[in-house]
Structure formats: structure tokens, C-alpha cells
Amino acid sequence: MAFRLKLVPDHTTIDFFRWQWLTFGISALAMVASVLLVLIMGLNFGIDFKGGTSIRTESPNAFDVGTYRQALTALDLGDVSITEVFDPGFAADRHVAMIRIGTTDATGSVTPEELTRIETALKAADPQVTFASVESVGPKVSGELIKTAFYAVGAATFGIMVYIWLRFEWQFALGAVISLIHDVLLTVGIFSLFQLKFDLTTIAALLTTLGYSVNDTVVVFDRLRENLIKFKAMPLIDVMNLTVNETLSRTIMTAVTTALALGAMLIFGGDVIRGFVFAMLWGVFVGCYSTVYVAKNIVLWLGVKRDWGKKEDDGPAGTKFADVK
């Protein structure tokens, strides 16, 4: 007989509502803590949102922040941030640094003459240093990018809410949206806590996480609707427990396979995409948690209709919009 790996038994009877107030309370506290972290610590905005110039340098010689900073101090460039970039994939003789120069004028970028002066100063400290990339974003553009990113996340969330409302009921839509807000806030909070770079790639990761999370939520909701038709006399809380147990294997298998791919990218993908991959990996975790412990709790507290599928000729179960594909 062929070997088949099972992460979850075929039949489970886990009571996901046993500690519902504790789990939901932890989620609520985590959301509040994330907001406070952003307000107190702020976000480590990348060059996309902050404006200025970002220079990526490479050298076979060992990197020293103090030497680089001393070389640039005499140039009077204003706000300068210098960090060393670590990556397991780098060779022993490859030392990478990221130099960020804050916005100093309306353009938000250094002039070609200033760039030449910077390169000359760094070569005086390390003759073998080279500029791998130079990126500049003006303050006006960065402000517009922040607003556009906010609109993108908001529009995606609103669109998901409308779809689920038409596909199921408004209670399902509200539960899904609150779970998505939970995922976004916790992701932004973790970036604020560890001061990870927050840029346009992070926004892309947030939007991808929303899609992943709502996909998992819709699968559970679809099975829930089927069970509501099948077990009309069963209490709603028992139907929900049954539903989550029936979809648990699919949820865990999807999360594990996604995490394996993201884990490989996190380790071997390089520092350029590390922020994006970390946001995705964290989003997979919180997305699974919110589906099980946030979205369904909201639906339970709001209640749902139990009279779906009364007649065989009624068409697909659900609302009058249930046939929306």
C-alpha cells in the first residue's frame, strides 16, 4: 500500500470554541498593541515612502559602518543611514551595505555631482567599493505612494467584503473583513516592532496575504453553508466546530506547503525580497489563525439564517446572489 503522509487525522473532534473568549481576546489585544506600536515606534519606511536616495554598495573588503560614516560626514548630506546587509547566500568576500540619504530638497534625490562626491569619498575609505544600485524618490512622489498604498489595501478589503456578502450573507462578510483587518494590523505591527523595512513590496505582500486569507475563509464558509443545510437541527456552534474540523486537514496542508516554499525563499532568496517573503510567511500564519478563531467567532455571535435549501428547485444554497462565480 502506498505511503500517504497525514498531518491531520481523517476525523477530528477539536472544540475550537472551548477557549473562544481567550483566543478572541488575544486577537483583540494583539490588534490594539499593533496600533500602539505604529503610533509609538512608527514604521521603518523604505525609500519608496520616505523619499530620498538609497545606495547599495558592494566590496570584497570587510565593511565598517564607522569608516563609511566618517567618510560621508564631511559632505554635509544631512540625514544619512548606513546599515550592513547580511545574507547566507553571500560569498565570504562579498560585503554589502545600504546607504540611505534623506530628502534634502524638492527633488528628494542627490545630484550627479553629489553622487560623484559620495563615490569618491567612499573609495578613499575603501578603493574596491562599487555602487550596485542607486534609487531616488522625491517627497511628493513618496507621499502619493503612501496614499495609493492605503487606497489599494482599503479597496481590496472592501471588494472582498462585497463579494462574500453577495456569495453568502452579510454576517459572513463582516466576519471575513474583521479577520482581514486583524491580519493586516498584526503584519504592520510586527514590522513596527522589529523595525523591518516597510516599502511597496511589503504592500504587495499585504495584498497577497489578503487573498490567501480570504481564500481559506471562503473554503470554511462554503462548507459551513453546506452543513447548515444538512444539519438544520444542530446548534450553530456545533455546526461550526464540525465545519472547521472537516476543513482542518485542507487548511493545515495548504499552510504547510505554502510555508515550505516561502521558507526556502526566505533563506535563499536574498535580502532584496526578504521583507516581502517575511510578510507573506507571517501572513500565512495569522491568516490561518484568524480564519479559525476570528472570522467564525464573529459569525457565531451575529448568527446566520438556517432556512437555506428548503426546496430542491430553489437553486444553489445561500442568498439570491449565491450563483455569483
Side-chain angles (χ1 to χ4, degrees), residues 53-209:
T53 299
S54 176
I55 303 172
R56 181 186 174 97
T57 68
E58 294 188 8
S59 174
N61 300 321
F63 169 77
D64 181 71
V65 175
T67 302
Y68 275 33
R69 187 177 300 279
Q70 185 176 3
L72 297 177
T73 299
L75 302 182
D76 193 23
L77 298 172
D79 183 18
V80 178
S81 173
I82 306 174
T83 56
E84 184 173 5
V85 179
F86 295 95
D87 192 291
F90 287 169
D93 60 347
R94 186 184 179 190
H95 302 276
V96 180
M98 187 65 70
I99 303 173
R100 295 176 185 169
I101 304 172
T103 301
T104 56
D105 54 25
T107 64
S109 60
V110 298
T111 64
E113 292 77 14
E114 288 176 323
L115 192 61
T116 301
R117 291 170 56 206
I118 293 172
E119 185 174 7
T120 302
L122 292 180
K123 281 187 175 294
D126 182 0
Q128 294 183 287
V129 68
T130 59
F131 284 10
S133 65
V134 179
E135 299 177 356
S136 298
V137 177
K140 183 177 180 180
V141 174
S142 64
E144 292 176 352
L145 288 175
I146 292 176
K147 289 190 294 184
T148 303
F150 176 79
Y151 293 154
V153 175
T157 304
F158 178 77
I160 289 170
M161 179 183 68
V162 172
Y163 168 77
I164 295 181
W165 176 31
L166 297 179
R167 190 72 175 87
F168 300 97
E169 293 286 343
W170 68 268
Q171 297 95 328
F172 290 85
L174 188 59
V177 166
I178 291 177
S179 71
L180 293 181
I181 293 173
H182 166 274
D183 299 344
V184 171
L185 286 180
L186 263 62
T187 302
V188 174
I190 203 73
F191 268 72
S192 177
L193 178 63
F194 295 109
Q195 287 296 291
L196 302 174
K197 186 172 70 172
F198 194 89
D199 53 18
L200 285 178
T201 60
T202 310
I203 298 298
L206 284 176
L207 294 174
T208 308
T209 299

Side-chain angles (χ1 to χ4, degrees), residues 168 214-224 243 247 250-251:
F168 300 97
V214 78
N215 176 69
D216 196 28
T217 302
V218 166
V219 169
V220 176
F221 281 175
D222 207 44
R223 179 61 65 86
L224 173 60
T243 299
T247 57
R250 182 263 177 201
T251 299

